[in-house]
Amino acid sequence: MEPTLFDKIIAREIPADIVFEDDEVLAFNDINPQAPTHILIIPKKPIATLNDIEETDLALIGRLQFTAATLAKQLGFAEDGYRVVMNCNENGGQSVYHIHMHLLGGRRLAWPPG
Ligand code: 5GP
């Protein structure tokens, strides 16, 4: 598999505004924010789409969600509320084929999404 943009961010070949990192997860500000806070939370393991998650990845996927909630608390909008989104494939609007969770907070978000 060709390295994606996010593989290059993990390898520090492309700069990013990193807000959290551990052995398994990296979180950084989205370059084109759709809310006052818009963070991308990614596994360091390259998984192309939600459809490629395997049973052995379940703890890792939970860690993405836990990281989102932890960041929301640290940034002060957990109680007001926020949204996490994972886009899958073309109809889902996925543009980078390395799974990522969008954490959007800091304003009231409309529903349904476009
Ligand atoms: P997707 O559309 O795949 O769900 O989300 C990909 C996200 O990556 C988009 O929100 C887009 O703004 C963001 N993005 C694209 N290129 C870069 C980049 O070079 N740096 C950062 N930090 N985010 C990027």
Side-chain angles (χ1 to χ4, degrees), residues 33-80:
Q34 302 300 311
T37 295
H38 185 171
I39 294 171
L40 299 173
I41 303 163
I42 69 172
K44 290 186 174 176
K45 177 182 177 182
I47 301 171
T49 79
L50 284 174
N51 296 333
D52 301 303
I53 292 169
E54 296 175 352
E55 208 153 352
T56 50
D57 298 320
L58 297 186
L60 178 59
I61 303 309
R63 185 170 285 275
L64 300 181
Q65 181 65 77
F66 181 70
T67 302
T70 302
L71 288 169
K73 288 175 196 169
Q74 287 172 357
L75 293 166
F77 55 75
E79 290 306 316
D80 284 344

mmCIF file of all heavy atoms in Angstrom, residues 33-80:
data_model
loop_
_atom_site.group_PDB
_atom_site.id
_atom_site.type_symbol
_atom_site.label_atom_id
_atom_site.label_comp_id
_atom_site.label_asym_id
_atom_site.label_seq_id
_atom_site.Cartn_x
_atom_site.Cartn_y
_atom_site.Cartn_z
ATOM 1 N N PRO A 33 -10.398 23.617 9.102
ATOM 2 C CA PRO A 33 -11.337 23.348 10.203
ATOM 3 C C PRO A 33 -12.776 23.717 9.877
ATOM 4 O O PRO A 33 -13.040 24.766 9.307
ATOM 5 C CB PRO A 33 -10.782 24.203 11.349
ATOM 6 C CG PRO A 33 -9.902 25.224 10.722
ATOM 7 C CD PRO A 33 -9.376 24.611 9.460
ATOM 8 N N GLN A 34 -13.691 22.842 10.283
ATOM 9 C CA GLN A 34 -15.128 23.046 10.066
ATOM 10 C C GLN A 34 -15.844 23.475 11.350
ATOM 11 O O GLN A 34 -17.074 23.596 11.364
ATOM 12 C CB GLN A 34 -15.758 21.761 9.518
ATOM 13 C CG GLN A 34 -15.132 21.273 8.226
ATOM 14 C CD GLN A 34 -15.241 22.309 7.102
ATOM 15 O OE1 GLN A 34 -16.311 22.853 6.860
ATOM 16 N NE2 GLN A 34 -14.120 22.598 6.451
ATOM 17 N N ALA A 35 -15.086 23.712 12.400
ATOM 18 C CA ALA A 35 -15.622 24.150 13.692
ATOM 19 C C ALA A 35 -14.460 24.804 14.432
ATOM 20 O O ALA A 35 -13.294 24.626 14.036
ATOM 21 C CB ALA A 35 -16.164 22.947 14.466
ATOM 22 N N PRO A 36 -14.752 25.557 15.514
ATOM 23 C CA PRO A 36 -13.654 26.190 16.261
ATOM 24 C C PRO A 36 -12.569 25.188 16.674
ATOM 25 O O PRO A 36 -11.385 25.522 16.666
ATOM 26 C CB PRO A 36 -14.373 26.803 17.464
ATOM 27 C CG PRO A 36 -15.739 27.131 16.941
ATOM 28 C CD PRO A 36 -16.080 26.004 16.006
ATOM 29 N N THR A 37 -12.977 23.982 17.059
ATOM 30 C CA THR A 37 -12.006 22.887 17.227
ATOM 31 C C THR A 37 -12.338 21.796 16.225
ATOM 32 O O THR A 37 -13.491 21.353 16.138
ATOM 33 C CB THR A 37 -12.071 22.291 18.650
ATOM 34 O OG1 THR A 37 -11.668 23.292 19.588
ATOM 35 C CG2 THR A 37 -11.149 21.091 18.784
ATOM 36 N N HIS A 38 -11.365 21.416 15.428
ATOM 37 C CA HIS A 38 -11.526 20.318 14.467
ATOM 38 C C HIS A 38 -10.219 19.538 14.461
ATOM 39 O O HIS A 38 -9.221 19.958 13.870
ATOM 40 C CB HIS A 38 -11.847 20.860 13.073
ATOM 41 C CG HIS A 38 -12.144 19.786 12.062
ATOM 42 N ND1 HIS A 38 -12.628 20.063 10.801
ATOM 43 C CD2 HIS A 38 -12.020 18.425 12.105
ATOM 44 C CE1 HIS A 38 -12.800 18.939 10.124
ATOM 45 N NE2 HIS A 38 -12.423 17.929 10.890
ATOM 46 N N ILE A 39 -10.259 18.425 15.177
ATOM 47 C CA ILE A 39 -9.065 17.590 15.356
ATOM 48 C C ILE A 39 -9.284 16.262 14.644
ATOM 49 O O ILE A 39 -10.389 15.704 14.666
ATOM 50 C CB ILE A 39 -8.811 17.360 16.868
ATOM 51 C CG1 ILE A 39 -8.449 18.694 17.545
ATOM 52 C CG2 ILE A 39 -7.720 16.321 17.101
ATOM 53 C CD1 ILE A 39 -8.382 18.615 19.070
ATOM 54 N N LEU A 40 -8.239 15.768 14.008
ATOM 55 C CA LEU A 40 -8.267 14.430 13.408
ATOM 56 C C LEU A 40 -7.525 13.481 14.337
ATOM 57 O O LEU A 40 -6.397 13.774 14.757
ATOM 58 C CB LEU A 40 -7.589 14.454 12.043
ATOM 59 C CG LEU A 40 -8.236 15.378 11.004
ATOM 60 C CD1 LEU A 40 -7.374 15.441 9.743
ATOM 61 C CD2 LEU A 40 -9.646 14.925 10.659
ATOM 62 N N ILE A 41 -8.170 12.376 14.676
ATOM 63 C CA ILE A 41 -7.583 11.374 15.576
ATOM 64 C C ILE A 41 -7.395 10.110 14.756
ATOM 65 O O ILE A 41 -8.368 9.574 14.195
ATOM 66 C CB ILE A 41 -8.515 11.129 16.778
ATOM 67 C CG1 ILE A 41 -8.773 12.460 17.515
ATOM 68 C CG2 ILE A 41 -7.922 10.083 17.711
ATOM 69 C CD1 ILE A 41 -9.972 12.417 18.441
ATOM 70 N N ILE A 42 -6.157 9.667 14.653
ATOM 71 C CA ILE A 42 -5.864 8.543 13.748
ATOM 72 C C ILE A 42 -5.092 7.452 14.497
ATOM 73 O O ILE A 42 -4.319 7.743 15.407
ATOM 74 C CB ILE A 42 -5.065 9.003 12.500
ATOM 75 C CG1 ILE A 42 -3.642 9.422 12.855
ATOM 76 C CG2 ILE A 42 -5.780 10.140 11.795
ATOM 77 C CD1 ILE A 42 -2.763 9.700 11.631
ATOM 78 N N PRO A 43 -5.286 6.197 14.069
ATOM 79 C CA PRO A 43 -4.406 5.147 14.573
ATOM 80 C C PRO A 43 -3.073 5.235 13.829
ATOM 81 O O PRO A 43 -3.035 5.628 12.659
ATOM 82 C CB PRO A 43 -5.150 3.857 14.201
ATOM 83 C CG PRO A 43 -5.923 4.217 12.973
ATOM 84 C CD PRO A 43 -6.261 5.688 13.088
ATOM 85 N N LYS A 44 -1.991 4.890 14.505
ATOM 86 C CA LYS A 44 -0.712 4.847 13.777
ATOM 87 C C LYS A 44 -0.685 3.663 12.814
ATOM 88 O O LYS A 44 -0.025 3.722 11.776
ATOM 89 C CB LYS A 44 0.455 4.776 14.762
ATOM 90 C CG LYS A 44 0.630 6.091 15.517
ATOM 91 C CD LYS A 44 1.869 6.104 16.384
ATOM 92 C CE LYS A 44 2.047 7.500 16.988
ATOM 93 N NZ LYS A 44 3.186 7.539 17.928
ATOM 94 N N LYS A 45 -1.442 2.630 13.149
ATOM 95 C CA LYS A 45 -1.572 1.485 12.233
ATOM 96 C C LYS A 45 -2.358 1.932 11.006
ATOM 97 O O LYS A 45 -3.452 2.498 11.144
ATOM 98 C CB LYS A 45 -2.307 0.351 12.940
ATOM 99 C CG LYS A 45 -2.558 -0.849 12.055
ATOM 100 C CD LYS A 45 -3.329 -1.945 12.793
ATOM 101 C CE LYS A 45 -3.630 -3.101 11.837
ATOM 102 N NZ LYS A 45 -4.405 -4.169 12.492
ATOM 103 N N PRO A 46 -1.827 1.695 9.811
ATOM 104 C CA PRO A 46 -2.580 2.094 8.626
ATOM 105 C C PRO A 46 -3.733 1.135 8.335
ATOM 106 O O PRO A 46 -3.522 -0.035 8.043
ATOM 107 C CB PRO A 46 -1.528 2.059 7.500
ATOM 108 C CG PRO A 46 -0.483 1.114 7.972
ATOM 109 C CD PRO A 46 -0.522 1.099 9.475
ATOM 110 N N ILE A 47 -4.952 1.645 8.469
ATOM 111 C CA ILE A 47 -6.168 0.904 8.121
ATOM 112 C C ILE A 47 -6.889 1.807 7.126
ATOM 113 O O ILE A 47 -7.170 2.969 7.437
ATOM 114 C CB ILE A 47 -7.047 0.658 9.365
ATOM 115 C CG1 ILE A 47 -6.278 -0.143 10.432
ATOM 116 C CG2 ILE A 47 -8.341 -0.052 8.977
ATOM 117 C CD1 ILE A 47 -6.985 -0.240 11.786
ATOM 118 N N ALA A 48 -7.157 1.317 5.925
ATOM 119 C CA ALA A 48 -7.614 2.210 4.852
ATOM 120 C C ALA A 48 -9.009 2.771 5.113
ATOM 121 O O ALA A 48 -9.236 3.983 4.952
ATOM 122 C CB ALA A 48 -7.563 1.483 3.514
ATOM 123 N N THR A 49 -9.950 1.919 5.456
ATOM 124 C CA THR A 49 -11.336 2.374 5.642
ATOM 125 C C THR A 49 -11.949 1.646 6.828
ATOM 126 O O THR A 49 -11.420 0.635 7.310
ATOM 127 C CB THR A 49 -12.224 2.092 4.402
ATOM 128 O OG1 THR A 49 -12.615 0.717 4.414
ATOM 129 C CG2 THR A 49 -11.532 2.437 3.094
ATOM 130 N N LEU A 50 -13.120 2.128 7.250
ATOM 131 C CA LEU A 50 -13.850 1.442 8.331
ATOM 132 C C LEU A 50 -14.117 -0.011 7.954
ATOM 133 O O LEU A 50 -14.175 -0.878 8.832
ATOM 134 C CB LEU A 50 -15.181 2.156 8.586
ATOM 135 C CG LEU A 50 -15.117 3.487 9.352
ATOM 136 C CD1 LEU A 50 -16.493 4.130 9.390
ATOM 137 C CD2 LEU A 50 -14.599 3.274 10.759
ATOM 138 N N ASN A 51 -14.263 -0.282 6.673
ATOM 139 C CA ASN A 51 -14.556 -1.651 6.225
ATOM 140 C C ASN A 51 -13.375 -2.598 6.423
ATOM 141 O O ASN A 51 -13.539 -3.815 6.312
ATOM 142 C CB ASN A 51 -14.932 -1.650 4.738
ATOM 143 C CG ASN A 51 -16.197 -0.880 4.462
ATOM 144 O OD1 ASN A 51 -17.046 -0.764 5.333
ATOM 145 N ND2 ASN A 51 -16.320 -0.334 3.261
ATOM 146 N N ASP A 52 -12.198 -2.036 6.668
ATOM 147 C CA ASP A 52 -10.990 -2.865 6.807
ATOM 148 C C ASP A 52 -10.622 -3.149 8.257
ATOM 149 O O ASP A 52 -9.610 -3.791 8.524
ATOM 150 C CB ASP A 52 -9.821 -2.169 6.096
ATOM 151 C CG ASP A 52 -10.124 -1.962 4.635
ATOM 152 O OD1 ASP A 52 -10.412 -2.958 3.946
ATOM 153 O OD2 ASP A 52 -10.133 -0.798 4.174
ATOM 154 N N ILE A 53 -11.432 -2.649 9.198
ATOM 155 C CA ILE A 53 -11.179 -2.924 10.615
ATOM 156 C C ILE A 53 -11.388 -4.419 10.875
ATOM 157 O O ILE A 53 -12.365 -5.011 10.408
ATOM 158 C CB ILE A 53 -12.123 -2.083 11.498
ATOM 159 C CG1 ILE A 53 -11.759 -0.597 11.370
ATOM 160 C CG2 ILE A 53 -12.058 -2.532 12.958
ATOM 161 C CD1 ILE A 53 -12.792 0.328 11.983
ATOM 162 N N GLU A 54 -10.440 -5.004 11.623
ATOM 163 C CA GLU A 54 -10.551 -6.422 11.981
ATOM 164 C C GLU A 54 -10.818 -6.546 13.475
ATOM 165 O O GLU A 54 -10.658 -5.581 14.225
ATOM 166 C CB GLU A 54 -9.250 -7.143 11.594
ATOM 167 C CG GLU A 54 -9.044 -7.126 10.089
ATOM 168 C CD GLU A 54 -7.722 -7.718 9.641
ATOM 169 O OE1 GLU A 54 -6.875 -8.025 10.511
ATOM 170 O OE2 GLU A 54 -7.563 -7.867 8.419
ATOM 171 N N GLU A 55 -11.201 -7.731 13.873
ATOM 172 C CA GLU A 55 -11.568 -7.934 15.272
ATOM 173 C C GLU A 55 -10.403 -7.597 16.211
ATOM 174 O O GLU A 55 -10.610 -7.090 17.314
ATOM 175 C CB GLU A 55 -12.037 -9.372 15.486
ATOM 176 C CG GLU A 55 -13.011 -9.455 16.618
ATOM 177 C CD GLU A 55 -13.975 -10.616 16.506
ATOM 178 O OE1 GLU A 55 -14.003 -11.298 15.466
ATOM 179 O OE2 GLU A 55 -14.687 -10.830 17.505
ATOM 180 N N THR A 56 -9.187 -7.816 15.738
ATOM 181 C CA THR A 56 -8.004 -7.508 16.571
ATOM 182 C C THR A 56 -7.793 -6.001 16.726
ATOM 183 O O THR A 56 -6.950 -5.579 17.511
ATOM 184 C CB THR A 56 -6.741 -8.136 15.945
ATOM 185 O OG1 THR A 56 -6.700 -7.765 14.565
ATOM 186 C CG2 THR A 56 -6.742 -9.642 16.062
ATOM 187 N N ASP A 57 -8.532 -5.190 15.970
ATOM 188 C CA ASP A 57 -8.385 -3.726 16.030
ATOM 189 C C ASP A 57 -9.387 -3.074 16.987
ATOM 190 O O ASP A 57 -9.374 -1.845 17.132
ATOM 191 C CB ASP A 57 -8.608 -3.106 14.635
ATOM 192 C CG ASP A 57 -7.610 -3.573 13.604
ATOM 193 O OD1 ASP A 57 -6.422 -3.700 13.954
ATOM 194 O OD2 ASP A 57 -8.012 -3.802 12.449
ATOM 195 N N LEU A 58 -10.247 -3.865 17.604
ATOM 196 C CA LEU A 58 -11.360 -3.250 18.333
ATOM 197 C C LEU A 58 -10.902 -2.361 19.483
ATOM 198 O O LEU A 58 -11.458 -1.273 19.700
ATOM 199 C CB LEU A 58 -12.333 -4.325 18.831
ATOM 200 C CG LEU A 58 -13.028 -5.132 17.716
ATOM 201 C CD1 LEU A 58 -14.074 -6.055 18.294
ATOM 202 C CD2 LEU A 58 -13.631 -4.221 16.655
ATOM 203 N N ALA A 59 -9.863 -2.769 20.197
ATOM 204 C CA ALA A 59 -9.364 -1.927 21.297
ATOM 205 C C ALA A 59 -8.795 -0.623 20.745
ATOM 206 O O ALA A 59 -8.956 0.447 21.349
ATOM 207 C CB ALA A 59 -8.308 -2.684 22.095
ATOM 208 N N LEU A 60 -8.159 -0.718 19.594
ATOM 209 C CA LEU A 60 -7.580 0.472 18.962
ATOM 210 C C LEU A 60 -8.680 1.472 18.570
ATOM 211 O O LEU A 60 -8.544 2.684 18.783
ATOM 212 C CB LEU A 60 -6.771 0.051 17.728
ATOM 213 C CG LEU A 60 -6.115 1.144 16.906
ATOM 214 C CD1 LEU A 60 -5.142 1.959 17.755
ATOM 215 C CD2 LEU A 60 -5.384 0.529 15.705
ATOM 216 N N ILE A 61 -9.775 0.962 18.046
ATOM 217 C CA ILE A 61 -10.882 1.839 17.651
ATOM 218 C C ILE A 61 -11.500 2.486 18.891
ATOM 219 O O ILE A 61 -11.824 3.681 18.891
ATOM 220 C CB ILE A 61 -11.947 1.048 16.851
ATOM 221 C CG1 ILE A 61 -11.319 0.385 15.619
ATOM 222 C CG2 ILE A 61 -13.103 1.950 16.436
ATOM 223 C CD1 ILE A 61 -10.497 1.292 14.737
ATOM 224 N N GLY A 62 -11.606 1.717 19.962
ATOM 225 C CA GLY A 62 -12.078 2.289 21.223
ATOM 226 C C GLY A 62 -11.144 3.377 21.723
ATOM 227 O O GLY A 62 -11.586 4.385 22.284
ATOM 228 N N ARG A 63 -9.869 3.199 21.497
ATOM 229 C CA ARG A 63 -8.882 4.199 21.926
ATOM 230 C C ARG A 63 -9.065 5.505 21.163
ATOM 231 O O ARG A 63 -8.872 6.589 21.715
ATOM 232 C CB ARG A 63 -7.467 3.635 21.720
ATOM 233 C CG ARG A 63 -6.362 4.511 22.228
ATOM 234 C CD ARG A 63 -5.036 3.762 22.214
ATOM 235 N NE ARG A 63 -4.952 2.799 23.284
ATOM 236 C CZ ARG A 63 -4.558 3.093 24.536
ATOM 237 N NH1 ARG A 63 -4.197 4.318 24.833
ATOM 238 N NH2 ARG A 63 -4.503 2.164 25.452
ATOM 239 N N LEU A 64 -9.459 5.430 19.895
ATOM 240 C CA LEU A 64 -9.728 6.664 19.129
ATOM 241 C C LEU A 64 -10.871 7.434 19.797
ATOM 242 O O LEU A 64 -10.804 8.650 19.991
ATOM 243 C CB LEU A 64 -10.108 6.350 17.679
ATOM 244 C CG LEU A 64 -9.101 5.605 16.812
ATOM 245 C CD1 LEU A 64 -9.674 5.424 15.399
ATOM 246 C CD2 LEU A 64 -7.764 6.319 16.753
ATOM 247 N N GLN A 65 -11.939 6.708 20.132
ATOM 248 C CA GLN A 65 -13.098 7.347 20.767
ATOM 249 C C GLN A 65 -12.731 7.902 22.144
ATOM 250 O O GLN A 65 -13.139 9.014 22.499
ATOM 251 C CB GLN A 65 -14.235 6.328 20.873
ATOM 252 C CG GLN A 65 -15.489 6.884 21.498
ATOM 253 C CD GLN A 65 -16.128 7.968 20.643
ATOM 254 O OE1 GLN A 65 -16.775 7.676 19.648
ATOM 255 N NE2 GLN A 65 -15.921 9.219 21.022
ATOM 256 N N PHE A 66 -11.959 7.137 22.905
ATOM 257 C CA PHE A 66 -11.536 7.594 24.236
ATOM 258 C C PHE A 66 -10.675 8.849 24.123
ATOM 259 O O PHE A 66 -10.817 9.795 24.913
ATOM 260 C CB PHE A 66 -10.773 6.465 24.937
ATOM 261 C CG PHE A 66 -10.313 6.821 26.317
ATOM 262 C CD1 PHE A 66 -11.228 6.959 27.349
ATOM 263 C CD2 PHE A 66 -8.969 7.028 26.587
ATOM 264 C CE1 PHE A 66 -10.810 7.295 28.633
ATOM 265 C CE2 PHE A 66 -8.544 7.365 27.859
ATOM 266 C CZ PHE A 66 -9.464 7.508 28.884
ATOM 267 N N THR A 67 -9.814 8.884 23.107
ATOM 268 C CA THR A 67 -8.973 10.072 22.880
ATOM 269 C C THR A 67 -9.842 11.275 22.549
ATOM 270 O O THR A 67 -9.604 12.389 23.039
ATOM 271 C CB THR A 67 -7.973 9.798 21.736
ATOM 272 O OG1 THR A 67 -7.176 8.666 22.092
ATOM 273 C CG2 THR A 67 -7.073 10.992 21.484
ATOM 274 N N ALA A 68 -10.878 11.067 21.734
ATOM 275 C CA ALA A 68 -11.780 12.176 21.383
ATOM 276 C C ALA A 68 -12.434 12.739 22.640
ATOM 277 O O ALA A 68 -12.455 13.964 22.850
ATOM 278 C CB ALA A 68 -12.844 11.694 20.394
ATOM 279 N N ALA A 69 -12.961 11.871 23.486
ATOM 280 C CA ALA A 69 -13.640 12.339 24.703
ATOM 281 C C ALA A 69 -12.658 13.015 25.653
ATOM 282 O O ALA A 69 -12.981 14.044 26.268
ATOM 283 C CB ALA A 69 -14.338 11.161 25.389
ATOM 284 N N THR A 70 -11.454 12.467 25.754
ATOM 285 C CA THR A 70 -10.435 13.071 26.628
ATOM 286 C C THR A 70 -10.067 14.466 26.139
ATOM 287 O O THR A 70 -9.981 15.418 26.928
ATOM 288 C CB THR A 70 -9.189 12.168 26.681
ATOM 289 O OG1 THR A 70 -9.589 10.882 27.162
ATOM 290 C CG2 THR A 70 -8.122 12.748 27.584
ATOM 291 N N LEU A 71 -9.874 14.605 24.834
ATOM 292 C CA LEU A 71 -9.535 15.926 24.275
ATOM 293 C C LEU A 71 -10.694 16.901 24.472
ATOM 294 O O LEU A 71 -10.470 18.070 24.804
ATOM 295 C CB LEU A 71 -9.167 15.803 22.789
ATOM 296 C CG LEU A 71 -7.805 15.148 22.506
ATOM 297 C CD1 LEU A 71 -7.670 14.830 21.014
ATOM 298 C CD2 LEU A 71 -6.663 16.075 22.942
ATOM 299 N N ALA A 72 -11.926 16.436 24.259
ATOM 300 C CA ALA A 72 -13.095 17.306 24.444
ATOM 301 C C ALA A 72 -13.151 17.822 25.882
ATOM 302 O O ALA A 72 -13.437 19.007 26.125
ATOM 303 C CB ALA A 72 -14.372 16.561 24.081
ATOM 304 N N LYS A 73 -12.853 16.948 26.848
ATOM 305 C CA LYS A 73 -12.838 17.383 28.257
ATOM 306 C C LYS A 73 -11.718 18.393 28.487
ATOM 307 O O LYS A 73 -11.931 19.441 29.101
ATOM 308 C CB LYS A 73 -12.653 16.165 29.179
ATOM 309 C CG LYS A 73 -13.870 15.280 29.258
ATOM 310 C CD LYS A 73 -13.577 14.034 30.087
ATOM 311 C CE LYS A 73 -14.643 12.983 29.854
ATOM 312 N NZ LYS A 73 -14.289 11.680 30.414
ATOM 313 N N GLN A 74 -10.525 18.071 27.971
ATOM 314 C CA GLN A 74 -9.379 18.975 28.179
ATOM 315 C C GLN A 74 -9.627 20.338 27.547
ATOM 316 O O GLN A 74 -9.214 21.369 28.079
ATOM 317 C CB GLN A 74 -8.106 18.357 27.570
ATOM 318 C CG GLN A 74 -7.557 17.201 28.376
ATOM 319 C CD GLN A 74 -6.415 16.484 27.671
ATOM 320 O OE1 GLN A 74 -6.058 16.806 26.537
ATOM 321 N NE2 GLN A 74 -5.850 15.496 28.336
ATOM 322 N N LEU A 75 -10.303 20.349 26.411
ATOM 323 C CA LEU A 75 -10.525 21.607 25.687
ATOM 324 C C LEU A 75 -11.763 22.348 26.180
ATOM 325 O O LEU A 75 -12.034 23.466 25.740
ATOM 326 C CB LEU A 75 -10.608 21.330 24.177
ATOM 327 C CG LEU A 75 -9.276 20.841 23.577
ATOM 328 C CD1 LEU A 75 -9.480 20.265 22.186
ATOM 329 C CD2 LEU A 75 -8.262 21.980 23.540
ATOM 330 N N GLY A 76 -12.533 21.713 27.063
ATOM 331 C CA GLY A 76 -13.590 22.428 27.771
ATOM 332 C C GLY A 76 -14.957 22.415 27.115
ATOM 333 O O GLY A 76 -15.843 23.138 27.560
ATOM 334 N N PHE A 77 -15.172 21.584 26.085
ATOM 335 C CA PHE A 77 -16.501 21.570 25.459
ATOM 336 C C PHE A 77 -17.211 20.219 25.596
ATOM 337 O O PHE A 77 -18.239 19.991 24.949
ATOM 338 C CB PHE A 77 -16.451 22.020 23.992
ATOM 339 C CG PHE A 77 -15.499 21.255 23.099
ATOM 340 C CD1 PHE A 77 -15.796 19.976 22.658
ATOM 341 C CD2 PHE A 77 -14.311 21.839 22.671
ATOM 342 C CE1 PHE A 77 -14.937 19.283 21.835
ATOM 343 C CE2 PHE A 77 -13.425 21.156 21.850
ATOM 344 C CZ PHE A 77 -13.743 19.874 21.430
ATOM 345 N N ALA A 78 -16.696 19.352 26.462
ATOM 346 C CA ALA A 78 -17.307 18.026 26.610
ATOM 347 C C ALA A 78 -18.749 18.138 27.102
ATOM 348 O O ALA A 78 -19.643 17.441 26.595
ATOM 349 C CB ALA A 78 -16.478 17.167 27.556
ATOM 350 N N GLU A 79 -18.985 19.004 28.072
ATOM 351 C CA GLU A 79 -20.336 19.112 28.635
ATOM 352 C C GLU A 79 -21.284 19.805 27.663
ATOM 353 O O GLU A 79 -22.460 19.419 27.540
ATOM 354 C CB GLU A 79 -20.290 19.850 29.980
ATOM 355 C CG GLU A 79 -19.633 19.042 31.086
ATOM 356 C CD GLU A 79 -20.257 17.655 31.262
ATOM 357 O OE1 GLU A 79 -21.499 17.552 31.258
ATOM 358 O OE2 GLU A 79 -19.501 16.675 31.385
ATOM 359 N N ASP A 80 -20.817 20.832 26.956
ATOM 360 C CA ASP A 80 -21.667 21.504 25.957
ATOM 361 C C ASP A 80 -22.030 20.534 24.836
ATOM 362 O O ASP A 80 -23.131 20.605 24.280
ATOM 363 C CB ASP A 80 -20.934 22.711 25.354
ATOM 364 C CG ASP A 80 -20.902 23.894 26.304
ATOM 365 O OD1 ASP A 80 -21.685 23.894 27.275
ATOM 366 O OD2 ASP A 80 -20.080 24.802 26.078
#
